[in-house]
Amino acid sequence: MTQTRVRLWTVNEYHRTLETDRKQKASLFAKAGIADYWILDVNQRQVYIFREPGLEGYNLEFILQEDATLSLIAFPKVEVPINQLFP
């Protein structure tokens, strides 16, 4: 059985850490094999999704707006409405 590791990282209201989380931390998590990495941008009410980790970083990156729904890699039948991730 293949084991999938999931990492959820939350960016609080300190928008200045977003670039660090998107570049430095994402690179480290990709090298560690974290399959599904999320950054919640509470200021813009959107979620940055990073998938398909590789040695140079993630091969798949996209941004979902609060009206979207997200499925988890580890639990593909579970759907998460993005608007429920924000207060």
Side-chain angles (χ1 to χ4, degrees):
M1 176 180 260
T2 304
Q3 181 180 12
T4 301
R5 292 183 265 176
V6 178
R7 170 70 185 215
L8 174 63
W9 185 266
T10 304
V11 176
N12 293 321
E13 294 184 36
Y14 301 103
H15 191 70
R16 61 190 164 133
T17 66
L18 182 59
E19 286 305 308
T20 300
D21 293 333
R22 287 182 60 215
K23 294 179 181 173
Q24 294 174 354
K25 290 181 183 177
S27 177
L28 293 172
F29 292 155
K31 288 177 185 173
I34 305 298
D36 203 5
Y37 171 51
W38 304 358
I39 301 172
L40 274 62
D41 182 343
V42 297
N43 293 328
Q44 299 299 316
R45 299 182 65 85
Q46 58 190 16
V47 179
Y48 291 78
I49 308 296
F50 299 84
R51 292 183 172 166
E52 298 180 12
L55 296 177
E56 299 296 320
Y58 284 93
N59 296 311
L60 180 61
E61 301 177 16
F62 55 96
I63 301 171
L64 295 177
Q65 304 302 321
E66 81 176 301
D67 60 342
T69 300
L70 173 64
S71 293
L72 289 73
I73 289 176
F75 306 101
K77 292 183 181 180
V78 175
E79 293 185 346
V80 179
I82 299 298
N83 64 2
Q84 291 186 4
L85 298 175
F86 300 102

